[in-house]
Amino acid sequence: METKEFHYRAYRPRPFTKEERSKTTILFGGLTWKHERLIQGSLERVGYKSMPLPNIERQDLDIGKEFIDVGACCPTTFTAGNLARTLMTLREREGEEGVKNNYLFVTIGACGPCRFGQYHESYERVLEGLNLTDFRLFLLDLMQMEQSAPGGGLEISMPLTFGLVYSMFYADLITDMEYAIRPYEVVEGSTDRVVKESIELLYEKLKNRPIKGKKIDSLVWHVFTGYFVDALKEVRRLWDEIEVDRLRVKPKVKITGEFWLQTHEGDGNYNIKRWLEKEGAEVIPPPVAVWMDYLINMELFKLEDAKGFVKRYYLKKLAIGTIASLYRMVYNRLRRALNNIPNPLPDQRKLKDLARPYFYYRLTGGEGHMLIGKALYAYLNRQAHMICELSPYGCLPNTMSVGAMAKVLGDYPDLLYAPIEIKGDAEVHAYSRCQMILTEAKRRAKEEFEEVLERTGLTVEDIRNFEEDHPELRRATYKVPHYGYAGTASNYVMHIAKLMGRI
Amino acid sequence: MGIPKFLNIWGTHQFWVGFFQSLGVGRIVFSSDTSEEQYREYGKGRITMDSCFPVKALAGHMGELLHKDINLLFVPMIYSLPSFLKGHVVDTLSCTRVMMSVENIKAGFLREKNEFEERGIAFVSPFVPFAEPELLPKYLWESLKEHIPGLTLEETAKAVKEGFRALEDFERKMREKSLEIIRWCVKNNRPAILVLARPYHMDPGIGHDIDGEFQQYGFPVLWYNYLPLDDWLLEWLFGEEIRAGIIRSYFDISDVWTSSYSSNTNEIIWGAKFSARFPWITGVIRLSSYECGMDQPTFTPVQKIVESSGTLFFKFGELDETKPAGSVKIRVETIVYYLEKYSQDIIKKKLSRLGAVPSQLLV
């Protein structure tokens, strides 16, 4: 029984110095290729070399299982496996010293007791397993505007933070456009092409954006500048060229669930959004921005609870309330540049109040009460025909809110709700479950469409004829208002009826 | 007043006894220990989502209490915990599943009909942030005022103080008992076993009485959450590392664990550090339930902390409702063999790394 060393010590990355910046590439991942490409632009603007990890593939799950402790949740296993695959590929290409000296990995966390705040513990197992404990892995705090890693080489400054926020907003908005348009595109593949062109255009804008100030002046410029809105106006012209047919009757499926799984686009969630589209649905993807909005508003709600115990309560409330308002104001300005096609951010107070009888809002972790609030909001406001909730196998908080949905379904038996547990290697099971609910959603979408035709007295032929005289209606960027129906086709018929003076 | 004996109640029950006694609540009824029978008879049909067994078992506890003579069912959503590590770690939060379990299981009793109302029992589940003592009376008062006529915020605040006093008294007694056991080990040069688990693994239906099996072989069993915290003892074990600048206090775990948000996890990590240093703890038994996401990232660090000092480490992982009594007994026999074979060497080796044994241990 030989003892290797007397005391175990946690992994500490060796420093990353400013001098190493020019020859070291920052690896990062965890979001969609769109988000990652734009983050790359933001990082490059302030002098960092960066490279997103490759998109998640099925093999990452198996690789992850080899390295990390048993019982990990599905996202941890996938992302740890993805990191391992990347490091193995780089080692093969550039040798062990090359990986250790020319690259480092940055991840965010530090948001609480769920595994999300402890991902790095699993990543450290990957480094141990690959005998790469000298490789540098830095954990950054999600809620810090300014921070730095040991050595000073990695500094998150206000201009970079705002660049990252705009990267997130841009990618969210383009993703919203993408899923709203693709199911109705007349020329197959045109949406995907424009998405790529849009992201490249925005990447260039982020990479070449001016740096105005370092602190408050940086904040003021980023909030009030027209630079980012103008970039989206250019993007809008690309989308103008896509022709759509909104008379295709499709069930609308709102995606909710655990943060990584719901935003992911790849094998990590069985590519379920693309699969739903193939099955004839229109998907409402979840923006990353909602989650940040939730975190900001939770600070406000907690503060309100503590009124009477907090010094300078009104000043603090004003400060957080201002941040929350500015956040939404910027998001809405950007939406307007795309003719408000992307969905607005939901009102966090409404989500909290809707969820209140079923899930207490201070039970934080994962998305907390938001899963229930979002499902109810979508149902009551006829935003979607069906909710598809993606829950990772082994997720801590998500399973609890999914369970609490039992009472919601008792109170709202008409709510079409498909909680899908994602294990990473059981897609047939997941698709099958989703398909069952989707069948009912399709029926409802069809019934709703027939009802609208009857109500307006219009036929499809009437609408086609009207479209011929008004070709702008078939543009992807034409905004169809919401008339209280979940389906795009139904709202479109109502809109045509209104334009024709029928209602 | 019915209180289910579940999850975080295992670490805070004395608080609740002190709190409700101070409020003059006539009778507190706890549910039984977790058992397969309880789960099947009272929990069946109320589970709305697959989860770890400790969480699912709550349905059995709540269901059992609905059949007892109570007016009020009190099931707190314990968000953060009182912890001896508070001030030395980032936070003392509960496992997210544990804190949220009440909302999940409650749904199972409400989805078809309101079973609480049907039995004339009021259901109260306050949000309980032990780490925010100023807010604790407010949340408790807001949820109890409807059910305890005339209850004031001031009375609730006073009862919270009484609750903390009762909990502190209980923990002090438990730590004194642990010290007594440790002194017996030192005096007789006998090894002890430390259990690293969650407090609810003390529930025989969750921890399967594995600690009891070791006691039958004559090994004293200590639990990390009631280890003695006397300065002279901690100075002996950790003093040198403080002076070397490796840690800032006896309770600092940042040298081995950088994500110190979760109370139970932090304490398990600290317990592992204690066991690695204390000579007469020669074996550590790790208990963990199936699907415990909080434990999962800690498996390797805890094992490495313990084994790096030569202390024997054994893990009973993935514990579920099925009690594998036969295989547990065989495993315990094997572990006992190793403990008997190596303990004296381990004690000697660990003693050689420390200064003279404090006189307080030799009493």
Side-chain angles (χ1 to χ4, degrees):
Chain A
M1 249 190 354
E2 278 306 307
T3 304
K4 280 178 277 177
E5 57 176 281
F6 182 36
H7 291 308
Y8 165 83
R9 304 278 175 226
Y11 166 85
R12 300 260 179 226
R14 66 194 160 87
F16 170 48
T17 62
K18 283 182 183 174
E19 294 69 44
E20 289 176 283
R21 258 188 212 170
S22 58
K23 51 183 181 176
T24 310
T25 302
I26 297 172
L27 301 174
F28 65 99
L31 294 168
T32 72
W33 69 268
K34 291 160 275 186
H35 291 83
E36 288 166 359
R37 180 67 176 149
L38 297 179
I39 288 172
Q40 206 177 1
S42 294
L43 286 167
E44 284 172 5
R45 175 63 185 90
V46 289
Y48 293 105
K49 284 171 77 179
S50 67
M51 188 173 98
L53 297 184
N55 204 23
I56 295 282
E57 290 176 11
R58 170 67 179 77
Q59 58 171 319
D60 295 329
L61 186 75
D62 299 328
I63 297 172
K65 280 178 190 165
E66 279 179 38
F67 288 101
I68 63 177
D69 279 319
V70 291
C73 61
C74 173
T76 308
T77 318
F78 264 117
T79 52
N82 190 241
L83 175 65
R85 175 160 65 95
T86 309
L87 295 180
M88 286 190 283
T89 309
L90 290 172
R91 185 166 62 182
E92 215 169 275
R93 206 172 64 199
E94 301 181 32
E96 199 158 301
E97 290 306 305
V99 183
K100 287 177 187 172
N101 297 326
N102 302 338
Y103 299 90
L104 56 87
F105 179 66
V106 174
T107 186
I108 55 166
C111 75
C114 169
R115 231 176 320 222
F116 182 64
Q118 299 169 10
Y119 268 8
H120 66 105
E121 296 290 345
S122 292
Y123 297 156
E124 285 161 30
R125 301 285 83 75
V126 167
L127 301 189
E128 272 178 15
L130 290 172
N131 197 24
L132 284 173
T133 45
D134 276 351
F135 178 81
R136 286 166 292 187
L137 184 157
F138 294 105
L139 180 72
L140 297 178
D141 189 334
L142 185 66
M143 297 298 279
Q144 294 287 327
M145 298 286 278
E146 293 180 294
Q147 52 191 313
S148 66
L154 185 63
E155 284 175 317
I156 307 295
S157 59
M158 292 277 259
L160 175 55
T161 299
F162 284 115
L164 297 175
V165 170
Y166 271 101
S167 304
M168 174 183 72
F169 283 172
Y170 274 169
D172 282 349
L173 293 165
I174 297 299
T175 303
D176 244 32
M177 291 286 287
E178 175 190 353
Y179 284 92
I181 303 304
R182 189 167 45 223
Y184 305 100
E185 66 186 7
V186 173
V187 178
E188 200 181 330
S190 53
T191 309
D192 286 351
R193 178 179 53 78
V194 168
V195 168
K196 277 186 194 142
E197 288 170 7
S198 305
I199 294 296
E200 279 313 302
L201 191 154
L202 295 170
Y203 162 79
E204 290 297 332
K205 295 287 177 190
L206 285 163
K207 193 179 167 183
N208 298 308
R209 73 190 191 279
I211 300 289
K212 306 267 187 179
K214 287 183 176 171
K215 300 273 181 188
I216 294 293
D217 38 358
S218 176
L219 184 146
V220 171
W221 183 78
H222 277 95
V223 169
F224 296 104
T225 179
Y227 180 84
F228 298 101
V229 171
D230 290 344
L232 278 183
K233 285 180 182 165
E234 282 183 51
V235 165
R236 181 179 163 174
R237 285 195 278 278
L238 299 173
W239 288 83
D240 275 340
E241 301 307 312
I242 301 178
E243 188 188 356
V244 293
D245 174 10
R246 289 195 178 89
L247 283 177
R248 293 173 187 168
V249 181
K250 289 173 180 290
K252 228 173 186 175
V253 181
K254 185 173 175 65
I255 303 287
T256 64
E258 182 271 340
F259 172 75
W260 182 81
L261 210 57
Q262 60 169 336
T263 51
H264 179 67
E265 293 175 344
D267 289 353
N269 62 8
Y270 311 131
N271 274 298
I272 203 146
K273 293 175 205 162
R274 286 276 181 163
W275 178 83
L276 280 162
E277 280 189 1
K278 275 188 203 151
E279 291 299 313
E282 179 190 338
V283 170
I284 307 177
V288 177
V290 176
W291 196 58
M292 289 298 293
D293 196 30
Y294 161 74
L295 294 178
I296 296 168
N297 276 280
M298 279 305 294
E299 291 304 311
L300 192 60
F301 301 153
K302 277 194 272 183
L303 186 77
E304 286 170 356
D305 270 12
K307 187 182 175 184
F309 302 101
V310 178
K311 281 180 191 167
R312 295 194 294 262
Y313 169 77
Y314 288 104
L315 192 66
K316 285 180 182 165
K317 190 173 173 181
L318 180 71
I320 302 174
T322 305
I323 292 169
S325 302
L326 290 177
Y327 186 86
R328 299 174 76 82
M329 187 194 88
V330 171
Y331 196 78
N332 283 330
R333 272 184 81 199
L334 298 177
R335 279 182 60 239
R336 272 199 300 279
L338 295 170
N339 204 22
N340 288 318
I341 306 281
N343 292 295
L345 296 175
D347 181 332
Q348 286 292 333
R349 209 171 279 277
K350 268 188 198 155
L351 294 186
K352 179 186 92 152
D353 293 343
L354 283 170
R356 184 69 187 258
Y358 310 99
F359 210 83
Y360 194 67
Y361 68 97
R362 278 217 59 193
L363 296 170
T364 50
E367 292 225 320
H369 64 272
M370 268 210 299
L371 298 176
I372 289 170
K374 281 186 202 171
L376 276 172
Y377 186 86
Y379 173 74
L380 296 170
N381 293 290
R382 290 177 177 263
Q383 205 185 40
H385 294 99
M386 161 184 164
I387 312 296
C388 178
E389 179 162 319
L390 304 177
S391 175
Y393 169 73
C395 180
L396 291 166
N398 200 211
T399 44
M400 296 295 103
S401 51
V402 172
M405 277 296 290
K407 168 67 175 150
V408 178
L409 297 175
D411 291 349
Y412 301 93
D414 274 351
L415 197 159
L416 288 183
Y417 176 63
I420 311 292
E421 192 184 48
I422 307 272
K423 284 189 163 186
D425 53 3
E427 57 263 57
V428 175
H429 177 69
Y431 289 160
S432 162
R433 264 181 74 88
C434 203
Q435 186 73 273
M436 286 168 74
I437 314 285
L438 188 64
T439 305
E440 174 61 15
K442 281 181 182 173
R443 193 185 62 76
R444 288 196 193 176
K446 198 167 167 241
E447 274 180 10
E448 180 193 81
F449 184 69
E450 283 162 3
E451 182 198 309
V452 173
L453 287 178
E454 199 179 313
R455 182 177 163 190
T456 56
L458 289 172
T459 64
V460 171
E461 201 184 352
D462 295 335
I463 298 166
R464 291 289 186 219
N465 290 335
F466 190 77
E467 280 179 338
E468 275 187 28
D469 296 334
H470 301 84
E472 73 279 5
L473 291 169
R474 287 173 73 92
R475 266 192 210 150
T477 48
Y478 187 86
K479 173 72 180 171
V480 177
H482 189 252
Y483 291 90
Y485 290 96
T488 296
S490 304
N491 285 312
Y492 186 60
V493 173
M494 286 295 287
H495 187 56
I496 301 293
K498 194 171 180 194
L499 292 176
M500 291 168 84
R502 296 282 188 104
I503 55 166
Chain B
M1 170 78 71
I3 304 179
K5 205 163 66 180
F6 80 115
L7 299 168
N8 280 335
I9 294 293
W10 279 87
T12 61
H13 61 293
Q14 287 298 317
F15 172 89
W16 298 113
V17 172
F19 174 77
F20 284 118
Q21 279 179 346
S22 169
L23 291 182
V25 168
R27 198 166 62 93
I28 298 169
V29 179
F30 283 103
S31 53
S32 321
D33 288 343
T34 302
S35 65
E36 273 187 71
E37 295 72 28
Q38 181 199 51
Y39 179 54
R40 284 191 188 138
E41 191 170 346
Y42 302 111
K44 200 178 170 186
R46 272 73 174 250
I47 311 296
T48 54
M49 182 66 194
D50 199 17
S51 172
C52 57
F53 181 63
V55 163
K56 286 193 287 189
L58 171 59
H61 286 271
M62 280 168 57
E64 182 195 315
L65 286 169
L66 290 184
H67 290 80
K68 301 236 163 132
D69 181 23
I70 59 168
N71 312 104
L72 201 145
L73 179 57
F74 183 82
V75 194
M77 300 186 281
I78 302 178
Y79 176 75
S80 55
L81 287 154
S83 171
F84 61 92
L85 296 182
K86 191 171 192 293
H88 304 268
V89 290
V90 181
D91 213 336
T92 60
L93 295 164
S94 297
C95 159
T96 51
R97 267 193 186 161
V98 168
M99 66 169 87
M100 295 170 176
S101 61
V102 184
E103 296 289 49
N104 180 309
I105 301 297
K106 179 185 80 179
F109 287 86
L110 296 174
R111 64 178 159 183
E112 284 168 16
K113 56 185 176 182
N114 188 331
E115 294 192 46
F116 308 116
E117 212 170 75
E118 198 171 64
R119 292 179 181 276
I121 294 170
F123 178 79
V124 180
S125 61
F127 178 77
V128 178
F130 276 113
E132 297 164 73
E134 73 285 1
L135 284 177
L136 193 50
K138 175 182 182 275
Y139 285 121
L140 288 170
W141 176 67
E142 280 171 357
S143 64
L144 284 167
K145 64 184 176 187
E146 272 177 50
H147 309 284
I148 302 178
L151 180 68
T152 64
L153 180 60
E154 290 69 32
E155 275 176 294
T156 315
K158 186 174 160 281
V160 165
K161 278 186 189 158
E162 288 302 319
F164 276 123
R165 191 171 303 153
L167 182 62
E168 280 159 19
D169 282 352
F170 174 77
E171 290 191 344
R172 196 190 63 250
K173 281 177 199 157
M174 290 299 104
R175 294 188 199 288
E176 282 169 5
K177 190 71 194 166
S178 295
L179 184 58
E180 200 182 301
I181 293 167
I182 281 174
R183 281 177 171 145
W184 180 88
C185 291
V186 175
K187 189 177 173 188
N188 297 286
N189 200 31
R190 288 284 300 150
I193 288 171
L194 180 75
V195 177
L196 293 181
R198 297 194 171 251
Y200 53 73
H201 285 109
M202 289 181 184
D203 180 343
I206 305 290
H208 299 322
D209 250 341
I210 291 170
D211 53 338
E213 297 281 343
F214 286 98
Q215 280 179 316
Q216 284 182 19
Y217 282 94
F219 284 96
V221 173
L222 301 160
W223 281 72
Y224 76 91
N225 40 344
Y226 297 126
L227 284 169
L229 304 178
D230 306 69
D231 274 357
W232 54 265
L233 178 62
L234 301 184
E235 174 58 29
W236 185 49
L237 300 176
F238 297 103
E240 204 177 297
E241 286 165 273
I242 293 177
R243 284 183 289 281
I246 297 165
I247 50 174
R248 287 156 298 177
S249 71
Y250 304 137
F251 303 108
D252 186 357
I253 56 171
S254 63
D255 56 326
V256 293
W257 187 249
T258 50
S259 316
S260 56
Y261 298 99
S262 162
S263 178
N264 288 159
T265 302
N266 296 341
E267 290 176 11
I268 285 170
I269 299 279
W270 188 81
K273 284 184 68 176
F274 186 98
S275 74
R277 286 154 183 79
F278 190 74
W280 288 273
I281 294 175
T282 62
V284 166
I285 309 297
R286 180 86 200 260
L287 306 181
S288 184
S289 294
Y290 170 69
E291 270 230 344
C292 184
M294 297 306 294
D295 283 350
Q296 182 270 330
T298 71
F299 288 153
T300 297
V302 166
Q303 183 170 354
K304 287 194 170 183
I305 292 166
V306 174
E307 287 186 340
S308 67
S309 66
T311 308
L312 296 171
F313 178 85
F314 306 97
K315 180 178 153 214
F316 290 77
E318 312 290 295
L319 296 173
D320 210 350
E321 71 256 48
T322 317
K323 186 175 179 177
S327 59
V328 165
K329 279 185 191 299
I330 292 168
R331 186 103 204 277
V332 168
E333 270 182 36
T334 315
I335 293 170
V336 164
Y337 167 81
Y338 280 99
L339 284 167
E340 282 173 349
K341 186 171 178 184
Y342 291 113
S343 284
Q344 291 308 319
D345 284 349
I346 294 167
I347 294 169
K348 270 187 216 155
K349 198 180 275 183
K350 286 167 86 173
L351 271 173
S352 70
R353 290 168 180 148
L354 293 163
V357 178
S359 57
Q360 296 94 326
L361 264 187
L362 302 169
V363 176

